[in-house]
């Protein structure tokens, strides 16, 4: 059992795909697919199914890509057990584990491939007019699938098992390679020595790298699938930080500025205030300060008085 969470879209497109509405009718005849379960959906024909979904979507019309889409496939060894009823039961248990409840859904089984599989289409707006909780849905899906496989003894896909066995090995090698790494070139050389090749996913419009994946020639895994810290953006930021630290240009925390409250000016007594005012006006009546001698001041005043009196004597 293996679950793939596919890209959400419009009900027109997703329902049309699972019901083969836009496929060649000569190749995809009615016996190549069938609806094995549904909830709150009119399943008479394609048009009514879409209308049923859109009616509930009207509770939250701003919700973009309202059609959730999940494909669940099984190993060929389990085919004899996979009746329609058993598949419908597995679909319900999967949706309950994922929190896809209280919402419209459609379960469609496809019969034209070797590997048995079915598709779940659900409304991302529930019957209460709220968005279905889809946080961490990839991690939750892995846990739910494992629990169901263990519960019913379903076959672990050899390819899936290979991924599960290799991912810890990839994780350890990448962690060792990023230690002190300062560029993508250095990172790629280190991993190449460990037998892992780095590949990039580029933006179609700008040509810039936006994703990264790793391969050992046998399997290829996206960085985010190995560890949430191994996305292109996070690794690029880490290399940039290491480079700045090695050059001594890494951002330095600014010293904390402590603002001290200014002390209020010392209040003068009445005598000091008058003396300052008089001296400030140029009147040399008080001389307060270091080296002040009252007797010397009195002597100087007396000498000035005598000089003035002497000038006033007439012959």
């Amino acid at each position: 059992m293996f679950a793939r969470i596919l890209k959400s879209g419009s009900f027109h497109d997703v329902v049309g795909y699972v019901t083969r509405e836009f496929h060649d009718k000569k190749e995809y005849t009615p016996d190549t697919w069938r609806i094995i379960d549904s909830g709150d959906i009119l399943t008479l024909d394609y048009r009514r199914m879409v209308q049923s979904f859109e009616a509930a979507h009207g509770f939250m019309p701003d919700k973009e890509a309202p059609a959730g889409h999940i494909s669940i496939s099984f190993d060929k060894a389990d085919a004899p057990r996979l009746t329609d009823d058993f598949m419908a039961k597995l679909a319900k248990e999967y949706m309950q584990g994922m929190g896809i409840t209280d919402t419209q859904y459609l379960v469609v089984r496809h019969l034209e491939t070797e590997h048995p599989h079915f598709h779940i289409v659900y409304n991302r707006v529930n019957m209460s007019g709220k968005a279905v909780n889809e946080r961490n849905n990839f991690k939750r899906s892995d846990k739910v699938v494992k629990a169901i496989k263990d519960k019913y003894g379903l076959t672990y896909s050899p390819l899936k098992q290979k991924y599960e066995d290799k991912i810890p090995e990839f994780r350890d090698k990448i962690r060792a390679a990023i230690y002190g790494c300062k560029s993508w070139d250095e990172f790629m050389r280190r991993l190449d020595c460990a037998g892992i090749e780095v590949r990039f996913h580029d933006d179609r419009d700008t040509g810039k790298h936006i994703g990264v994946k790793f391969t050992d020639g046998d399997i290829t895994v996206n960085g985010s699938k190995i560890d949430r810290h191994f996305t292109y953006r996070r690794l690029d930021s880490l290399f940039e930080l290491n480079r700045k630290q090695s050059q001594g240009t890494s951002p330095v925390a600014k010293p904390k500025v402590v603002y001290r409250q200014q002390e209020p000016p010392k209040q003068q007594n009445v005598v000091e205030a008058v003396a300052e005012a008089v001296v400030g006006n140029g009147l040399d009546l008080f001389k307060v300060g270091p080296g002040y001698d009252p007797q010397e001041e009195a002597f100087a005043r007396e000498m000035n008085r005598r000089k003035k009196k002497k000038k006033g004597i007439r012959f």
Side-chain angles (χ1 to χ4, degrees):
M1 180 177 177
F2 180 70
R4 293 176 59 206
I5 299 177
L6 303 173
K7 186 176 180 181
S8 302
S10 69
F11 293 114
H12 176 272
D13 294 334
V14 178
V15 174
Y17 171 79
V18 300
T19 60
R20 308 308 198 190
E21 182 67 21
F22 310 124
H23 291 61
D24 185 348
K25 302 300 185 191
K26 294 180 180 179
E27 181 179 0
Y28 293 93
T29 56
D31 61 347
T32 60
W33 67 274
R34 58 176 171 264
I35 298 172
I36 59 175
D37 196 12
S38 64
D40 298 309
I41 293 292
L42 294 175
T43 59
L44 297 176
D45 54 35
Y46 163 74
R47 182 176 61 85
R48 287 183 175 85
M49 285 186 277
V50 173
Q51 288 177 343
S52 298
F53 276 119
E54 290 291 357
H57 177 219
F59 295 144
M60 188 183 288
D62 294 335
K63 182 71 171 178
E64 297 181 355
H69 185 194
I70 299 171
S71 171
I72 298 182
S73 57
F74 301 84
D75 192 272
K76 289 187 293 185
D78 295 326
R81 302 173 55 192
L82 295 173
T83 63
D84 288 352
D85 290 340
F86 187 42
M87 274 191 163
K89 181 179 181 180
L90 296 176
K92 284 185 177 180
E93 289 194 17
Y94 176 82
M95 287 190 288
Q96 289 174 355
M98 292 291 290
I100 304 173
T101 57
D102 187 35
T103 192
Q104 298 167 305
Y105 68 90
L106 190 67
V107 181
V108 180
R109 179 174 186 172
H110 287 175
L111 305 165
E112 79 282 0
T113 62
E114 293 183 0
H115 291 272
H117 72 282
F118 60 80
H119 291 258
I120 299 174
V121 182
Y122 66 94
N123 200 330
R124 299 175 67 209
V125 179
N126 65 24
M127 301 303 289
S128 300
K130 298 181 180 180
V132 172
N133 182 8
E134 296 172 308
R135 288 178 295 182
N136 300 319
N137 56 354
F138 289 98
K139 289 185 177 180
R140 282 194 294 171
S141 179
D142 290 339
K143 293 180 180 179
V144 172
V145 168
K146 186 178 185 304
I148 293 176
K149 286 192 294 188
D150 292 342
K151 178 179 178 180
Y152 295 103
L154 295 171
T155 303
Y156 275 80
S157 169
L159 180 60
K160 177 66 174 177
Q161 189 64 48
K162 185 183 293 187
Y163 272 83
E164 293 178 352
D165 293 341
K166 284 288 186 73
I167 283 180
E169 179 184 341
F170 275 49
R171 185 184 298 112
D172 291 342
K173 290 181 178 180
I174 293 171
R175 283 177 177 171
I178 64 177
Y179 180 77
C181 191
K182 297 180 283 294
S183 70
W184 280 101
D185 288 339
E186 182 181 5
F187 179 58
M188 293 168 69
R189 289 196 303 270
R190 292 182 181 183
L191 278 183
D192 187 55
C193 294
I196 296 179
E197 179 186 351
V198 180
R199 297 177 181 175
F200 298 103
H201 174 61
D202 298 336
D203 185 277
R204 288 183 295 180
D205 297 327
T206 64
K208 294 182 178 180
H209 297 329
I210 58 175
V212 62
K213 52 189 175 182
F214 305 89
T215 181
D216 63 352
D218 186 18
I219 67 170
T220 302
V221 192
N222 289 333
S224 60
K225 291 289 186 181
I226 301 172
D227 192 289
R228 63 187 180 89
H229 295 99
F230 296 163
T231 63
Y232 176 83
R233 180 178 61 83
R234 291 193 174 186
L235 288 174
D236 192 58
S237 298
L238 176 63
F239 299 156
E240 178 69 16
L241 178 61
N242 289 343
R243 184 164 57 251
K244 288 182 178 179
Q245 287 179 340
S246 67
Q247 297 172 349
T249 58
S250 57
V252 179
K254 295 182 179 180
K256 185 178 181 180
V257 179
V258 179
Y259 294 94
R260 297 181 179 178
Q261 185 175 1
Q262 186 176 1
E263 297 180 358
K266 185 178 179 180
Q267 187 174 0
Q268 298 171 314
N269 58 38
V270 177
V271 176
E272 290 175 336
V274 173
E276 184 178 344
V278 174
V279 173
N281 289 329
L283 302 178
D284 193 15
L285 296 180
F286 300 96
K287 290 185 178 179
V288 182
Y292 173 70
D293 189 341
Q295 292 182 353
E296 184 177 351
E297 182 65 24
F299 175 76
R301 283 200 298 267
E302 178 62 23
M303 292 301 294
N304 288 333
R305 186 184 64 79
R306 291 183 180 183
K307 285 180 181 180
K308 290 180 183 179
K309 183 176 181 181
K310 186 176 180 179
K311 289 181 180 180
I313 300 176
R314 294 180 181 179
F315 297 93

